[in-house]
Amino acid sequence: MTLKAVLFDMDGTLVDSESVHFNIWNDLLAPFGVQYDEATFCKRFSGRPTFEAAKEVVESYGLSINPEQLTDDKYAAFGHFVSTHLPAYMPCAREVLEQVKASGLKMALVTGSAKNEAYPILKGYGIFDWFDCVVTKDDVNNPKPAGDPYQLALDTLNITANEAVAVEDTYTGVTAASNAGVAVYAIPNHFTLEHDFSKAAGVFADLNEFFKWLETKL
């Protein structure tokens, strides 16, 4: 394999946004008398499509709001919040992005978030233009765990699946990359340690460990 690109997930992989997602969800659900503790919510919903989570919550509690509206409200609230409150980088994330960029490899961001969730973070940190391709859930008919987002990234970069590696932190993300035929490496965070990563080509403790492996392939 001639490696040409690294395809990064965003939430929980590059930025520590799971707590932000959790707080936004609880703010939206509070008027309906529904509250989750962070560990339960993140372990249950981390990496899952927003609409899927909204549908489950609405059905579980018989909420007087439809899943589509709750999903739209979540996207809007998250995008508004991160436009002024950037979630912290995951350990070594910015340094690894700099190193991958300096290596000459192409970089893509492939996220399950909506554009109005992802773009404020990428632009807020000044790294939007570091990526040769940014794919959000709005760019495909079938978001993660379908392979469509990764296939779109490959097509945009004009490379094949065996010329790229992906980095993910959840079962949903690993499944998406695997469905597109991309070798995917998992870096679990404390909310996703118990996820099924059997489809991953490998599991690393952090991004720095991943980059040390990546250097051996250059």
Side-chain angles (χ1 to χ4, degrees):
M1 178 185 75
T2 300
L3 186 62
K4 295 183 178 179
V6 181
L7 316 179
F8 288 98
D9 171 53
M10 186 183 75
D11 296 292
T13 299
L14 294 180
V15 294
D16 188 10
S17 52
E18 295 299 339
S19 293
V20 179
H21 284 290
F22 163 74
N23 287 328
I24 295 295
W25 273 116
N26 261 358
D27 288 346
L28 291 173
L29 294 174
F32 301 99
V34 176
Q35 293 285 275
Y36 284 91
D37 66 84
E38 186 171 17
T40 299
F41 186 87
C42 290
K43 285 180 180 179
R44 186 171 177 181
F45 294 109
S46 285
R48 291 177 62 185
T50 300
F51 177 74
E52 185 179 303
K55 188 170 184 292
E56 181 174 324
V57 172
V58 168
E59 292 177 353
S60 295
Y61 294 95
L63 303 187
S64 58
I65 185 173
N66 62 57
E68 291 81 5
Q69 185 60 57
L70 184 56
T71 298
D72 289 344
D73 290 349
K74 161 62 171 51
Y75 289 145
F78 185 91
H80 177 74
F81 182 84
V82 298
S83 67
T84 55
H85 302 79
L86 290 173
Y89 276 116
M90 295 298 286
C92 309
R94 189 177 182 95
E95 294 83 355
V96 167
L97 288 175
E98 291 173 344
Q99 290 168 322
V100 173
K101 187 171 177 61
S103 75
L105 292 172
K106 294 181 178 181
M107 290 200 306
L109 187 93
V110 184
T111 178
S113 291
K115 283 184 179 179
N116 65 353
E117 293 180 300
Y119 280 25
I121 295 173
L122 300 176
K123 292 180 178 181
Y125 274 122
I127 61 173
F128 184 89
D129 293 331
W130 289 17
F131 296 96
D132 299 283
C133 170
V134 174
V135 177
T136 72
K137 77 98 186 171
D138 299 322
D139 299 312
V140 293
N141 291 325
N142 301 300
K144 299 177 185 180
D148 297 26
Y150 276 100
Q151 188 58 55
L152 178 57
L154 296 173
D155 293 343
T156 303
L157 297 176
N158 194 30
I159 60 174
T160 61
N162 64 0
E163 292 175 321
V165 294
V167 187
E168 285 278 0
D169 70 305
T170 65
Y171 166 78
T172 298
V174 166
T175 301
S178 178
N179 284 339
V182 178
V184 54
Y185 293 85
I187 303 176
N189 58 55
H190 62 290
F191 293 123
T192 64
L193 287 171
E194 297 178 5
H195 282 209
D196 177 7
F197 294 121
S198 58
K199 293 183 179 179
V203 179
F204 294 107
D206 55 35
L207 281 164
N208 188 51
E209 187 175 295
F210 164 75
F211 185 73
K212 288 179 180 178
W213 169 85
L214 185 67
E215 284 185 302
T216 68
K217 304 300 177 183
L218 300 178

